[in-house]
Amino acid sequence: MTAGPLVVLVGPMGSGKSTVGALLAERLGVPYRDTDADIVAAQGREISDIFVDEGEPYFRELERQAVAAAVAAHTGVLALGGGAVLDEGTRELLAGLPVAYLSMDVEEAVRRVGLGAARPLLAVNPRRQWRELMDARRPLYTEVARVVVATDDRTPEEVAQAVLDALELKDV
């Protein structure tokens, strides 16, 4: 077995990476890790505060470092922040790993994320901004993914099962 995570989840905010990741880890009997949570723990503040106080480039560097550390050390289920795939080095790190892209359409995103949530990149006109983010990121998610799992109108349990099936993994 190759080193690195058993499963890596990528996708936009609200796609269910954290919820599905925790379910997958439980079903596979392995630890769960979320790079956004790693950043929050290391910085002692929320990601939205990092964006406001330090700016997106600073956050992206923290994210790049968090992903590199997690890919090198974690052997369970790993969820990445929605923008982690923007970094070319991160995309290279993910090459060959069992990456699942959790996809969803804009209406599902609005339903899940909401319009008032603390999402720094969706502060103004969230629907339009979400579409623009996805236009830029969808090709990158697809590039790194071994499998694509649609999450629209599915429960987290159904998405977790679809990821297991697509990656041909058996739960414990």
Side-chain angles (χ1 to χ4, degrees), residues 120-141:
L121 293 179
L122 298 181
V124 179
N125 195 342
R127 287 175 195 260
R128 189 190 81 228
Q129 288 183 298
W130 193 87
R131 282 189 184 100
E132 289 173 1
L133 281 174
M134 285 307 298
D135 287 346
R137 294 178 182 181
R138 188 177 295 107
L140 303 176
Y141 293 139

Side-chain angles (χ1 to χ4, degrees), residues 30-114:
V30 297
Y32 169 71
R33 185 168 177 178
D34 180 323
T35 58
D36 279 351
D38 290 351
I39 294 167
V40 168
Q43 293 290 304
R45 55 190 170 150
E46 294 301 315
I47 289 171
S48 57
D49 293 334
I50 297 169
F51 263 78
V52 169
D53 296 343
E54 310 293 341
E56 185 175 0
Y58 178 82
F59 171 76
R60 294 296 173 206
E61 178 57 24
L62 294 175
E63 184 174 55
R64 185 192 63 71
Q65 293 171 14
V67 171
V71 166
H74 189 67
T75 57
V77 176
L78 178 63
L80 305 188
V85 297
L86 296 171
D87 182 76
E88 183 178 351
T90 293
R91 293 193 307 277
E92 290 171 4
L93 279 178
L94 298 176
L97 294 178
V99 177
Y101 161 29
L102 303 185
S103 69
M104 65 181 180
D105 68 23
V106 68
E107 296 309 319
E108 186 80 1
V110 169
R111 186 179 70 73
R112 290 185 192 175
V113 175

